[in-house]
Amino acid sequence: MDLELRDKVCVVTGASSGIGLETARRLTAEGAQVLMVARAAERLEAAATEIGADWVAADVTDPEADERIVATCAEQMGGIDVLVNNAGTSFAKSLDDLTDDDWNGQWELHVLAPMRLMRAAAPRLAQRGGGRIVNVCSSAGKRPSLTNAAYSVTKAAQLSLSRVFADSFAARNVLVNAVTPGPVASPLWMDEGGLADQAGVAKGLSRDQALDAQSDKVPLGRFAEPGEVADVIVFLSSARASTVTGAAWSVDGGAVAIIV
C-alpha cells in the first residue's frame, strides 16, 4: 500500500522516544521529510541522526514554540503537510494529592500546547490544499483513570479540541483525528522511576506486580509496543485515510469497552 507520504513535510512532537520516535521512524521510512521536536536536545539529536530526520529542540508549552516550529518548516523544509501532536506525560498521584501546579502543568502540555500548534499549522495546511493532523490522546480521556485525574481530564479536553479543529477545517481538506492508546511499553511506563515503579509504590506492589495488574486490565493481556501505535498514526497521516476526520481511534487493546 502506497501511503503517498514521500516528500511530505511532517512535524512530530515528543519525538525523542516512545511513540513519537517510532512515528518519526516510520514516516521517514515512507520517504517523508520529518521534523522531530522535543525538549532534550542531546537525545533528540541522536535519535534524529539515527533515522535521518531534521530536529529542533523546543518545549511545546512555551507560548512561542508553535511559531518557531512552523517557521522552521517554512524556512528549511518548504512548508508543512502533517502535524503529529504527541508530546505528553503522566505520573501516579491521587486526586487528593494533585496540586494546582499539577493540574496547570497537565493542561498546558495536553491542551494549550497542541491547540497553539494546530492554530498555527492548520491554516497553512489549508493553504497547501490540505493536510493531516493527528493528536495522540489516551484511553484515559475516554474512561478516566484514577492514577492521575489531571491526565485523564486534560486528555478528554484534548479529544474535544481535536474534534473542534476537525469540524473547523474539514471543508478545507485538513483532516484532524486522534488516537487513544492504552498502556504502552514506552519509557513513560518502563524507565526506572516511571509509571510502573510509581504505581507499585502507590499500591504496595512490586514493579512486576504493577505491570501485571495493568496488563490484566487489557483484553489483549499486554501492553502495546510504541510501534504498534505509531503504525496507526502514520496511516491517519496518509492519503489512504482520505475520509477519516473527527475520529478518535482506540489503540488500547480493547481496554475501554465502548464502540465510539
Side-chain angles (χ1 to χ4, degrees):
M1 181 185 294
D2 182 4
L3 298 180
E4 297 184 33
L5 284 164
R6 181 165 297 280
D7 297 325
K8 298 294 185 182
V9 178
C10 305
V11 174
V12 182
T13 69
S16 62
S17 66
I19 293 169
L21 175 56
E22 293 307 314
T23 300
R25 190 189 308 279
R26 282 155 172 74
L27 289 169
T28 301
E30 292 291 332
Q33 301 180 64
V34 178
L35 180 67
M36 299 170 66
V37 181
R39 291 178 297 179
E42 185 174 345
R43 185 170 64 179
L44 179 62
E45 181 180 15
T49 300
E50 176 197 348
I51 67 176
D54 293 302
W55 63 279
V56 59
D59 180 348
V60 294
T61 64
D62 179 346
E64 298 180 356
D66 55 320
E67 290 298 338
R68 179 184 173 198
I69 292 165
V70 171
T72 299
C73 288
E75 295 167 8
Q76 300 181 17
M77 307 172 80
I80 181 172
D81 300 294
V82 174
L83 169 64
V84 178
N85 280 313
N86 171 69
T89 194
S90 187
F91 44 84
K93 186 176 280 193
S94 71
L95 180 61
D96 288 342
D97 290 335
L98 285 167
T99 66
D100 284 1
D101 285 344
D102 292 329
W103 282 96
N104 287 330
Q106 295 278 275
W107 181 261
E108 289 174 0
L109 181 57
H110 299 143
V111 181
L112 292 183
M115 182 278 292
R116 291 190 192 103
L117 277 164
M118 287 192 284
R119 186 173 61 188
R124 291 167 171 83
L125 295 174
Q127 290 170 5
R128 288 166 69 87
R132 304 286 188 270
I133 298 175
V134 183
N135 293 301
V136 181
C137 299
S138 172
S139 61
K142 292 185 174 183
R143 173 43 173 107
S145 166
L146 296 181
T147 300
N148 179 349
Y151 179 80
S152 294
V153 169
T154 56
K155 284 298 183 178
Q158 190 179 17
L159 284 169
S160 182
L161 179 70
S162 188
R163 181 71 204 213
V164 165
F165 273 84
D167 290 345
S168 298
F169 283 90
R172 301 172 70 182
N173 199 36
V174 178
L175 309 187
V176 184
N177 293 288
V179 297
T180 61
V184 178
S186 66
L188 178 63
W189 266 96
M190 300 303 182
D191 272 2
E192 184 177 353
L195 282 174
D197 290 331
Q198 294 175 40
V201 170
K203 297 175 182 178
L205 303 173
S206 70
R207 172 189 173 86
D208 287 343
Q209 288 173 326
L211 287 170
D212 288 344
Q214 190 66 39
S215 296
D216 288 344
K217 298 177 182 179
V218 181
L220 286 184
R222 63 177 179 85
F223 280 54
E225 292 298 324
E228 293 179 296
V229 181
D231 287 339
V232 178
I233 295 168
V234 171
F235 175 76
L236 289 173
S237 300
S238 78
R240 300 286 74 81
S242 56
T243 62
V244 185
T245 195
W249 281 18
S250 295
V251 195
D252 62 5
V256 178
I258 57 176
I259 59 173
V260 296

